[in-house]
Amino acid sequence: MSNTQFKEKTFVNELLLDDQDHPFTKLETPLREDAFDLNDDEKIEIIEKHFKEIMHTLGLDLQDESLRGTPKRVAKMYVKELFSGLNPENEPAMTLFSNEYNYNEMLVEKNIQFYSCCEHHFVPIVGKVHVAYISNGKVIGLSKLHRIVNHFARRPQVQERMTIQIGNAIKNALMTDDVAVYVDADHQCVSSRGVKDQTSSTITSFYSGAFNKEEKRSEFLKVLSI
């Protein structure tokens, strides 16, 4: 680890991720059954009204030229960007290809940048995801790995849950058990409020199949230079 990487790390044991009684590790994002009864335009209209009330309650002058359009901008950002991953219709299509090269070692995609939102305080979670898989006869375009990460990041999220969701999505898409996911993220609910610690980051991991074996897991972590 380089000098610039000397951060205090908060490690989450991957065994904890299997504990369904843990309040932060339910595999599905908590949604109501009627979550998609409204279309995007209807949601934007409703959120705009509510956010206007929030700004009004805070004492902001909504007639000011700079603030006048903010409720609509925030509403569109929530529905179309930050929380677009809530809608299953936005799930990326997974096109697979035959592993014609018979490559049977792990493939690692490092440093996938993501931006998410803490579901407890609705402030940003920003970090990087490293993923690896061993082909079971099929391979996937590298950009699709990025799209999987971003689909699950684009919603109010908990890092432990997101880690598992990404791992399971890659397993299901590639029909292989041999998947590893490593997430290193900064949480602004820690750095900008509360304890206001700007030096820590949070690490979570997901290992399945061959990556449950110490040799393959160590190989993966060595590639990440951890």
Side-chain angles (χ1 to χ4, degrees):
M1 185 178 292
S2 68
N3 289 335
T4 59
Q5 293 176 305
F6 275 107
K7 287 183 173 183
E8 177 187 350
K9 300 292 185 179
T10 303
F11 288 94
V12 178
N13 190 313
E14 64 265 19
L15 293 177
L16 184 60
L17 301 185
D18 292 328
D19 179 5
Q20 296 307 297
D21 292 328
H22 190 270
F24 303 144
T25 57
K26 293 181 180 178
L27 294 184
E28 299 299 327
T29 300
L31 289 169
R32 300 195 319 271
E33 291 184 2
D34 63 348
F36 305 108
D37 287 356
L38 300 175
N39 63 40
D40 284 358
D41 289 339
E42 290 170 326
K43 289 182 178 181
I44 289 171
E45 183 178 355
I46 294 170
I47 293 172
E48 178 184 1
K49 291 177 181 178
H50 285 298
F51 202 79
K52 186 179 293 184
E53 285 301 312
I54 291 173
M55 294 178 66
H56 177 75
T57 301
L58 290 172
L60 296 169
D61 181 5
L62 288 162
Q63 300 306 311
D64 184 87
E65 183 178 358
S66 178
L67 298 178
R68 193 178 303 140
T70 297
K72 182 66 170 288
R73 286 191 291 266
V74 170
K76 288 179 66 177
M77 177 183 67
Y78 278 179
V79 175
K80 296 292 189 180
E81 297 178 83
L82 291 186
F83 305 139
S84 60
L86 288 172
N87 193 336
E89 292 184 359
N90 295 327
E91 187 172 348
M94 294 293 108
T95 303
L96 302 181
F97 306 93
S98 297
N99 184 11
E100 296 180 354
Y101 304 107
N102 294 318
Y103 181 74
N104 58 6
E105 298 296 331
M106 68 179 183
L107 181 146
V108 181
E109 186 73 358
K110 294 173 59 176
N111 298 321
I112 301 174
Q113 186 81 40
F114 77 89
Y115 300 87
S116 191
C117 182
C118 168
E119 70 180 36
H120 300 135
H121 295 95
F122 271 54
V123 292
I125 303 171
V126 180
K128 292 182 179 180
V129 178
H130 315 287
V131 301
Y133 73 88
I134 300 172
S135 173
N136 191 26
K138 297 291 184 180
V139 296
I140 193 171
L142 297 179
S143 66
K144 291 297 190 291
L145 296 174
H146 290 248
R147 293 183 188 279
I148 289 172
V149 169
N150 282 293
H151 177 67
F152 290 105
R154 294 290 180 172
R155 59 183 70 183
Q157 197 52 283
V158 174
Q159 185 173 325
E160 296 98 319
R161 181 197 299 133
M162 186 184 79
T163 304
I164 300 171
Q165 288 175 331
I166 292 169
N168 283 335
I170 295 172
K171 284 177 61 175
N172 293 336
L174 282 161
M175 295 173 285
T176 178
D177 285 331
D178 304 327
V179 172
V181 179
Y182 189 98
V183 183
D184 186 351
D186 296 328
H187 292 242
Q188 289 196 17
C189 59
V190 174
S191 63
S192 66
R193 56 161 301 282
V195 295
K196 298 181 181 178
D197 180 359
Q198 299 180 12
T199 62
S200 66
S201 68
T202 300
I203 291 174
T204 49
S205 57
F206 172 100
Y207 301 110
S208 67
F211 291 96
N212 278 318
K213 297 178 181 178
E214 184 62 32
E215 181 180 1
K216 187 59 67 176
R217 184 181 302 192
S218 296
E219 181 184 355
F220 171 60
L221 294 176
K222 185 176 180 180
V223 169
L224 302 185
S225 299
I226 296 170

